[in-house]
Amino acid sequence: MHTVTAYAAPSATEPLVRTRIERRDVGPSDVLIEIKYAGICHSDIHTVRGDWGPQNYPLAPGHEIAGIVTEVGSAVTKHAVGDRVGVGCMVNSCRECVHCRGGEEQYCREGNIGTYGSVDRDGTITQGGYSTHVVVDEDFVLRVPVSIDFAAAAPLLCAGITTYSPLKHWGAGPGKKVAIVGMGGLGHMAVQIAHALGADVTVLSQTLSKKDDGVRLGADHYYATSDPTTFTDLADTFDLIVNTVSAHIDINSYLQLLTLDGTLVNVGAPSEPLPVEVFSLILGRRSFAGSAIGGIRETQEMLDFCAEHGIAPETELIAADQINDAYERVLTSDVRYRFVIDTATLL
């Protein structure tokens, strides 16, 4: 093993600090990546602060990684030194279960190995992208098209695929009315992708403060959920609603906005339950579903789709010593729309 510089949380209650973490030596199927950019995801904050359960500390988060290949193992065939690559939310899986064999590694029956905070194949705890280098099995490394700005590529590896996957799975496209709940890091990506897929896109946001951005990014309609008339005017309207909000909302009110056989998909992951009244589903044959990220194959498809359609997150580039301030700004929705760390500032 060798050590690299990183920013990590010493505990659930302390700010992240510059430190050193261990990376395994490059094995036959491994790729060593010099990380250039790492996105900040709301999930990073939930995880390091213990919202989703206890963690092993120190913990370096970050599962939105864009970098350059600097070394490959003897058996690597998919990547070469100098390639522009990305790593998302997982770095391995069992490879053998029905879901893995079907290209849905994110739903591995044994549990996929997350980019940080998971037990790796060698028994160590994985450490994420808030660091200068990472070693990843070649099968979990993505190709980043040259037409995608490298800093903007990082958030695609989580925010991009988290919204692309449900939109594709539930058939967003021409003739479909799609609503996106929330106009944040996930929501602004969902708007662009749903628009590019050909759907009629509505944003449902707490206020109209980001309406100009929403329309610019592809929304056909924009409503404030703080206005009670929104829920009466839009009742029985949407084929698909994608909820990107990682906080408590009244799910039953949103279910009423679905038309017959419509589906509300949750991709935001609040730390508290979202109660559902059964009649919200029964009356209208509606469905309430959840979706995680995509598999490796679908993630590459998403990157290529974004390159083809000129889709990219809107980002604010920060230095490593601004990470803790960025966390607080994420929690108050004070970012448009994704923070990205310039990892050169780690040194």
Side-chain angles (χ1 to χ4, degrees):
M1 289 190 177
H2 54 281
T3 61
V4 301
T5 303
Y7 249 67
S11 73
T13 57
E14 296 176 87
L16 279 71
V17 296
R18 181 181 276 103
T19 186
R20 303 281 286 176
I21 61 173
E22 291 187 335
R23 296 298 191 192
R24 69 172 181 265
D25 291 332
V26 176
S29 64
D30 284 334
V31 173
L32 174 63
I33 301 167
E34 180 183 355
I35 300 172
K36 297 296 186 181
Y37 300 100
I40 291 179
C41 177
H42 203 154
S43 300
D44 299 342
I45 303 172
H46 280 305
T47 303
V48 300
R49 295 188 176 182
D51 294 341
W52 293 341
Q55 301 296 320
N56 291 286
Y57 299 97
L59 180 61
H63 56 209
E64 299 178 347
I65 299 169
I68 301 293
V69 175
T70 58
E71 183 181 344
V72 298
S74 58
V76 169
T77 60
K78 297 179 180 178
H79 308 285
V81 171
D83 284 357
R84 289 163 45 104
V85 295
V87 177
C89 301
M90 56 184 171
V91 292
N92 217 327
S93 70
C94 81
R95 318 288 187 96
E96 297 177 354
C97 72
V98 62
H99 302 319
C100 287
R101 292 198 307 272
E104 302 280 7
E105 301 93 343
Q106 74 275 32
Y107 301 121
C108 175
R109 283 186 169 177
E110 300 298 320
N112 71 69
I113 297 175
T115 305
Y116 63 88
S118 287
V119 180
D120 208 345
R121 63 192 188 197
D122 59 3
T124 61
I125 303 300
T126 56
Q127 302 287 350
Y130 296 10
S131 58
T132 59
H133 296 78
V134 66
V135 178
V136 182
D137 187 287
E138 68 166 334
D139 290 340
F140 287 79
V141 176
L142 289 306
R143 175 184 54 81
V144 175
V146 295
S147 62
I148 297 178
D149 178 79
F150 217 14
L156 292 177
L157 278 305
C158 177
I161 186 58
T162 297
T163 51
Y164 180 86
S165 188
L167 288 167
K168 285 285 289 187
H169 181 78
W170 275 277
K176 293 296 182 71
K177 292 185 176 181
V178 175
I180 308 300
V181 181
M183 185 63 188
L186 290 174
H188 92 291
M189 288 304 309
V191 169
Q192 295 181 75
I193 293 168
H195 174 73
L197 289 168
D200 182 270
V201 184
T202 296
V203 174
L204 301 174
S205 186
Q206 190 171 13
T207 71
L208 299 179
S209 64
K210 300 177 182 177
K211 181 177 180 179
D212 289 347
D213 286 355
V215 172
R216 174 173 54 82
L217 293 173
D220 300 287
H221 320 280
Y222 202 108
Y223 291 87
T225 56
S226 56
D227 182 350
T229 64
T230 292
F231 291 92
T232 55
D233 293 347
L234 298 179
D236 194 29
T237 294
F238 301 108
D239 301 291
L240 175 65
I241 299 174
V242 178
N243 176 28
T244 70
V245 176
S246 293
H248 178 81
I249 65 170
D250 182 2
I251 284 292
N252 298 289
S253 294
Y254 289 87
L255 286 169
Q256 302 303 318
L257 304 182
L258 292 170
T259 191
L260 182 66
D261 291 327
T263 301
L264 191 161
V265 183
N266 231 71
V267 296
S271 55
E272 56 189 56
L274 296 175
V276 176
E277 296 289 343
V278 69
F279 281 105
S280 297
L281 303 175
I282 291 174
L283 300 178
R285 204 161 57 198
R286 305 180 182 104
S287 299
F288 179 41
S291 178
I293 56 172
I296 295 301
R297 180 179 59 207
E298 188 176 44
T299 304
Q300 187 64 62
E301 177 186 304
M302 176 275 304
L303 288 169
D304 295 339
F305 179 87
C306 289
E308 178 185 354
H309 293 274
I311 295 172
E314 300 200 346
T315 61
E316 181 177 333
L317 193 64
I318 64 170
D321 62 5
Q322 296 174 282
I323 290 172
N324 291 300
D325 288 340
Y327 272 27
E328 297 308 317
R329 288 180 59 191
V330 169
L331 293 174
T332 58
S333 300
D334 180 25
V335 56
R336 294 194 177 181
Y337 283 90
R338 208 73 168 180
F339 286 116
V340 175
I341 305 161
D342 179 355
T343 56
T345 62
L346 280 165
L347 300 174

